[in-house]
Amino acid sequence: STDLTSTVGYDSIIQHLNDGRKNCKEFEDFLKERAIIEEKYGKELINLSKKKPCGQTELNTLKRSLDVFKQQIDNVGQGHIQLAQTLREEAKKMEDFREKQKLHRKKIELIMEAIHKNRNLQYKKTMEVRQMCCCFLPYGLTRALLYFSSLSHFWQLFLKLAQTKSALEDSDRSYQQSVTTLEKIREEWQKEHIKACEFFETQECERINYFRNALWLHVNQLSQDCVQNDEKYEEIRRSLELCSIEKDIDFFVNLRKTGSLAPAPVVYENYYNTQRNATPVRSPVPVPISRRGPLPTPTSAPGEPDYATVDGYSLI
């Protein structure tokens, strides 16, 4: 600014730096809130997998698949809790970076405040001396001449004029010294102002770069969490591919079977007329129970998704 005492430009820079610090704080708070959500979600998943029954009476291969399912859901919950801890660590790093910049910038701001104060005081003093000289020179001499012209003694007039001239010379010297001092202060202020601006620019570049990298890292962490979760879900799919309907049916039959022969028919015995010797009905030879044919292969009904296979599945 052309106004030597103006701090409009400097104030704009400080305001922008404070806004940048505020933006870092907002992202830091965002990470903390996301960490709370992730931790709560992870704990809920773990409680769900441990406390909620899910096919607890199933047998054999399907039971193993359900066990893998619950275990992987538990692992997903643990992953979200770990992600919450990671987000808190990133938020702490952002806080440390923000406070570090604030501490470094405070030193520069204190220097600039002191030099602004010294500059303004010297400028005010210089303007006061200048005003005094400008007003005193024409007014003081004229008044002195009019005042002393009425005196009868010439030497008194001469003495007063000499004193007035001496006072004017002293004021002029003081004014020159003030201007010289102000110029030195102005040069020092300008030098420090440039250094401060360069420092602030460097800090702003560091802040933008750090903020951008932090946001990039955050997105990568979320992507990595999704990939890890999908790997856990893939374990469930592999387990389900090992689930055999035929094996589970055979397992249940072998576990619960009570024999291989059907009960014999009930034979009629005549207890009413013992004189009649009816030819007893011979019991047929028990026929072993034969197993039914092979079970049909389950297929997807219209509108249902097809079963995924490992070979045909991709994480991408």
Side-chain angles (χ1 to χ4, degrees):
S1 174
T2 55
D3 183 2
L4 183 59
T5 61
S6 175
T7 58
V8 176
Y10 178 80
D11 294 340
S12 297
I13 294 175
I14 296 299
Q15 181 62 44
H16 178 72
L17 295 176
N18 290 335
D19 290 342
R21 182 170 177 270
K22 179 181 177 183
N23 293 335
C24 290
K25 181 65 167 60
E26 290 176 352
F27 182 66
E28 174 190 328
D29 293 339
F30 180 89
L31 291 178
K32 291 179 179 179
E33 290 294 328
R34 179 65 187 268
I36 294 174
I37 295 173
E38 291 291 341
E39 183 177 42
K40 182 178 179 181
Y41 179 57
K43 290 181 177 180
E44 290 294 336
L45 283 180
I46 293 174
N47 290 335
L48 178 65
S49 65
K50 290 182 177 180
K51 297 180 180 180
K52 189 68 175 177
C54 183
Q56 59 183 352
T57 61
E58 286 293 345
L59 303 172
N60 207 31
T61 60
L62 183 56
K63 178 177 175 57
R64 288 196 293 270
S65 295
L66 289 172
D67 290 340
V68 172
F69 166 72
K70 296 191 70 176
Q71 180 60 47
Q72 294 304 324
I73 293 299
D74 184 276
N75 291 341
V76 170
Q78 295 289 352
H80 281 281
I81 292 178
Q82 181 60 41
L83 176 61
Q85 181 61 29
T86 301
L87 295 179
R88 288 192 178 95
E89 293 173 358
E90 293 303 319
K92 184 64 171 60
K93 291 179 182 178
M94 177 63 76
E95 180 182 4
D96 293 341
F97 171 79
R98 181 170 52 82
E99 291 300 323
K100 181 180 178 181
Q101 277 208 331
K102 177 185 176 182
L103 182 62
H104 290 173
R105 189 168 71 242
K106 189 64 178 177
K107 298 177 182 179
I108 303 299
E109 290 180 1
L110 291 176
I111 294 175
M112 293 303 297
E113 288 177 3
I115 202 168
H116 283 163
K117 182 177 180 181
N118 188 28
R119 179 199 63 186
N120 293 344
L121 288 176
Q122 185 60 36
Y123 180 80
K124 181 180 179 181
K125 178 180 178 180
T126 301
M127 292 300 103
E128 288 176 351
V129 175
R130 176 186 178 186
Q131 184 68 21
M132 182 178 65
C133 290
C134 292
C135 295
F136 184 74
L137 181 59
Y139 177 73
L141 286 176
T142 303
R143 185 177 179 183
L145 290 173
L146 292 176
Y147 177 74
F148 289 114
S149 62
S150 61
L151 297 179
S152 58
H153 301 288
F154 176 77
W155 67 270
Q156 292 179 343
L157 175 61
F158 180 80
L159 179 62
K160 292 298 181 181
L161 288 174
Q163 292 176 347
T164 302
K165 181 180 179 181
S166 177
L168 287 174
E169 290 176 349
D170 291 341
S171 296
D172 185 65
R173 284 193 298 270
S174 177
Y175 174 54
Q176 289 180 3
Q177 291 175 357
S178 295
V179 171
T180 302
T181 303
L182 178 60
E183 179 59 21
K184 291 181 180 180
I185 293 176
R186 187 196 66 80
E187 291 177 354
E188 181 183 2
W189 158 76
Q190 185 170 328
K191 180 180 178 181
E192 292 297 329
H193 182 80
I194 293 174
K195 289 171 59 177
C197 288
E198 291 173 349
F199 175 81
F200 293 151
E201 182 178 356
T202 301
Q203 270 208 333
E204 181 66 1
C205 292
E206 291 177 353
R207 186 193 68 83
I208 295 175
N209 182 65
Y210 190 90
F211 201 154
R212 182 191 63 178
N213 291 343
L215 190 57
W216 188 290
L217 178 62
H218 175 61
V219 174
N220 284 348
Q221 290 167 346
L222 297 180
S223 296
Q224 181 65 27
D225 183 64
C226 292
V227 172
Q228 292 175 352
N229 286 346
D230 195 73
E231 291 175 354
K232 298 178 178 68
Y233 299 143
E234 180 64 16
E235 286 294 322
I236 299 173
R237 285 188 285 266
R238 291 194 185 101
S239 176
L240 289 173
E241 287 178 343
L242 297 177
C243 177
S244 170
I245 299 175
E246 184 70 25
K247 289 181 180 180
D248 286 1
I249 296 298
D250 288 342
F251 182 84
F252 171 76
V253 170
N254 293 328
L255 180 67
R256 303 296 185 185
K257 68 181 179 180
T258 56
S260 59
L261 298 176
V266 178
V267 179
Y268 170 75
E269 296 183 12
N270 188 351
Y271 297 100
Y272 175 74
N273 189 354
T274 58
Q275 300 299 324
R276 297 179 181 179
N277 293 324
T279 303
V281 179
R282 299 180 62 183
S283 301
V285 178
V287 180
I289 300 175
S290 62
R291 291 294 306 276
R292 55 178 172 161
L295 295 173
T297 301
T299 58
S300 301
E304 295 181 351
D306 294 334
Y307 292 106
T309 62
V310 176
D311 295 337
Y313 180 76
S314 172
L315 287 177
I316 301 178

